[in-house]
Amino acid sequence: MLLEFGADLEDRSMKGETVLERVAGTPDPDTVRHLLARGAAPTPRCVFRARSGAHNRPESARVFEEIEDIILRAAFARR
């Protein structure tokens, strides 16, 4: 919803994270895809957050592996 009102995907939180970096650490690949489709930049920190999610939530490791793959593919496509 905030994107519809012009929110900047690259703004950083007080912790220094973009919204994509934050979402990459949650088991929600659909939101990761949505943010990438809207132009969010896949950063190394996104990959780190996905790997940390897999480590911290082993029951969701497959979902985080999917998120990591989505991010890496998006980064490669941007080259």
Side-chain angles (χ1 to χ4, degrees):
M1 181 170 165
L2 292 175
L3 294 176
E4 294 172 13
F5 291 100
D8 184 355
L9 288 171
E10 301 309 314
D11 275 352
R12 295 194 172 269
S13 70
M14 292 176 66
K15 292 184 178 184
E17 295 176 315
T18 66
V19 67
L20 181 60
E21 291 167 350
R22 180 76 176 154
V23 170
T26 66
D28 191 353
D30 291 335
T31 301
V32 169
R33 282 188 195 95
H34 176 75
L35 292 170
L36 288 166
R38 295 294 297 258
T43 65
R45 191 173 192 172
C46 294
V47 175
F48 173 78
R49 295 277 295 158
R51 289 179 181 170
S52 294
H55 177 75
N56 295 330
R57 299 180 188 171
E59 70 281 1
S60 299
R62 291 174 85 87
V63 175
F64 286 109
E65 289 170 6
E66 178 184 357
I67 290 169
E68 180 180 351
D69 185 59
I70 293 165
I71 292 165
L72 291 173
R73 288 176 187 269
F76 183 74
R78 289 177 71 122
R79 290 181 180 215

